[in-house]
Amino acid sequence: ARGKNQLVPFSPSILLSKERSLDLIEHLRTSVERDFEGFSLAFQPQVDAMTGALRGAEVLARWQCADYGPVGPGEFIPLLEESGLIHPVGRWIFASAIRTCSRWVERLPDFSLSINLSYLQLSQPDFLPFARQTLLDMGVDPAHIVLELTESYIASSADAMSQTFEEIRKMGIRLAMDDFGTGYSSLNILKRAPADIVKIDRDFVKGIQNSRFDATFIRFIVALCHDVGIHVCLEGVETQEEYQIVRPMGLDTIQGFYFARPMAQQDFERWAALGRQQ
Ligand code: C2E
Ligand code: CA
Ligand code: CA
């Protein structure tokens, strides 16, 4: 239930956390009923790996629980999935994100907005029609939109979902393979998978100063992806030192605290100099 194929030994705290989970699900339900009260979006810039220029942003969901205060998406997204609430909340996230970026793309014609999708959302047949209609209503060209799906999900469903992936491509939306390098897929997923972008997981940046393997892995994945026409984004660059190491590696974009943390809409607009007055 915690994701990432973890095994967790039993402890009494699991029962406690079960109680917390059930409690949080009730609060999530109330939030949804109250017109998504407590939910908000954060935007983290994705920048050109060489120049640092803004290329796009990833949308990250935030939730303020009435009782428990801020709860992170690593905790509440699995609860939304477990309870089925991911469908209304996922649609709210998508529509709110598209509405927000509709003003940005007028200023920045090459801007990409990346939206995370839970595996459950795509298996619901009305999600893609909803997405298409939302883009039409808000006048946003699908070429600006990237849907992020995890590597594990894409690897396990590439065959079953191939028609859905094809439909997404026909709509003109791009697909990103998230958390790349953490699943157990073989490298030929890069050949088979429909991804336009690969996001290398931040695990590979964490110890990069001392790990020849991590540095070699990144360079190797960049070479392989570029050979088959896939863009590469590196997540989790936190320090100048890390940036100096990865900058010459040929990556397309970088996302990480070194450039900017996820920000509320207004802070993002200030950061990106997207203010109304300009
Ligand atoms: P993710 O898709 O891998 O998102 C990147 C996470 O890494 C974000 O955490 C972001 O704040 C964090 N991050 C970015 N740069 C750095 C860095 O330099 N250092 C470190 N240590 N962390 C960095 P966040 O916002 O807590 O989101 C966690 C996960 O929750 C996401 O991982 C994603 O799997 C899920 N999530 C968030 N928003 C949504 C959403 O709207 N829908 C779905 N389905 N999942 C979401
Ligand atoms: Ca993501
Ligand atoms: Ca990721």
Side-chain angles (χ1 to χ4, degrees):
R2 289 189 189 179
K4 307 214 168 178
N5 287 316
Q6 295 177 79
L7 280 179
V8 184
F10 178 79
S11 72
S13 72
I14 289 181
L15 288 180
L16 280 177
S17 69
K18 190 71 209 163
E19 206 167 295
R20 174 180 158 98
S21 298
L22 292 174
D23 229 22
L24 288 176
I25 288 174
E26 280 323 301
H27 284 293
L28 285 163
R29 208 180 299 284
T30 308
S31 280
V32 170
E33 280 160 6
R34 295 189 182 156
D35 206 18
F36 304 98
E37 185 185 278
F39 286 103
S40 61
L41 301 181
F43 300 87
Q44 186 178 30
Q46 296 174 330
V47 303
D48 183 286
M50 275 312 287
T51 66
L54 181 69
R55 288 280 172 267
E58 179 177 11
V59 180
L60 295 157
R62 298 288 178 259
W63 180 55
Q64 176 85 24
C65 175
D67 255 20
Y68 291 85
V71 177
E75 184 171 16
F76 73 75
I77 295 284
L79 297 176
L80 292 173
E81 291 172 344
E82 197 181 317
S83 60
L85 290 166
I86 191 68
H87 299 297
V89 176
R91 282 194 293 266
W92 179 86
I93 291 168
F94 187 85
S96 310
I98 301 299
R99 189 181 311 114
T100 305
C101 87
S102 65
R103 299 196 281 123
W104 300 344
V105 298
E106 284 169 18
R107 297 272 180 72
L108 305 169
D110 296 326
F111 189 86
S112 299
L113 191 77
S114 296
I115 302 172
N116 292 286
L117 279 197
S118 157
Y119 68 101
L120 288 170
Q121 286 179 271
L122 274 187
S123 48
Q124 219 191 31
D126 60 359
F127 182 78
L128 286 183
F130 164 82
R132 184 184 286 118
Q133 194 57 48
T134 306
L135 288 163
L136 267 177
D137 291 348
M138 314 236 182
V140 172
D141 184 341
H144 292 296
I145 305 306
V146 175
L147 296 179
E148 297 196 358
L149 294 164
T150 62
E151 177 209 27
S152 323
Y153 172 64
I154 291 182
S156 65
S157 63
D159 296 328
M161 299 295 286
S162 63
Q163 250 185 317
T164 307
F165 293 149
E166 186 57 35
E167 205 181 319
I168 292 172
R169 293 204 122 169
K170 279 205 198 117
M171 285 170 67
I173 293 177
R174 283 165 294 156
L175 276 176
M177 195 160 11
D178 206 355
D179 301 342
F180 187 81
T182 60
Y184 296 98
S185 60
S186 68
L187 284 171
N188 83 14
I189 183 80
L190 293 175
K191 200 166 122 187
R192 292 188 296 126
D196 304 282
I197 299 159
V198 154
K199 294 186 79 175
I200 299 179
D201 194 76
R202 70 181 168 84
D203 257 17
F204 295 93
V205 189
K206 263 189 215 154
I208 198 160
Q209 291 97 324
N210 311 308
S211 166
R212 255 179 75 178
F213 178 85
D214 289 346
T216 304
F217 180 89
I218 295 173
R219 275 194 297 264
F220 173 74
I221 294 303
V222 168
L224 206 54
C225 285
H226 284 177
D227 198 56
V228 291
I230 297 175
H231 279 252
V232 187
C233 175
L234 181 64
E235 294 187 295
V237 174
E238 292 185 355
T239 65
Q240 186 178 25
E241 194 185 358
E242 288 167 353
Y243 178 50
Q244 268 160 4
I245 296 172
V246 302
R247 190 173 178 216
M249 291 184 175
L251 293 151
D252 295 285
T253 52
I254 295 182
Q255 190 183 330
F257 293 170
Y258 174 62
F259 291 96
R261 296 200 170 235
M263 294 172 276
Q265 177 184 343
Q266 284 191 336
D267 296 328
F268 179 85
E269 290 178 350
R270 208 170 300 131
W271 186 92
L274 274 163
R276 283 167 201 272
Q277 67 282 6
Q278 283 185 297

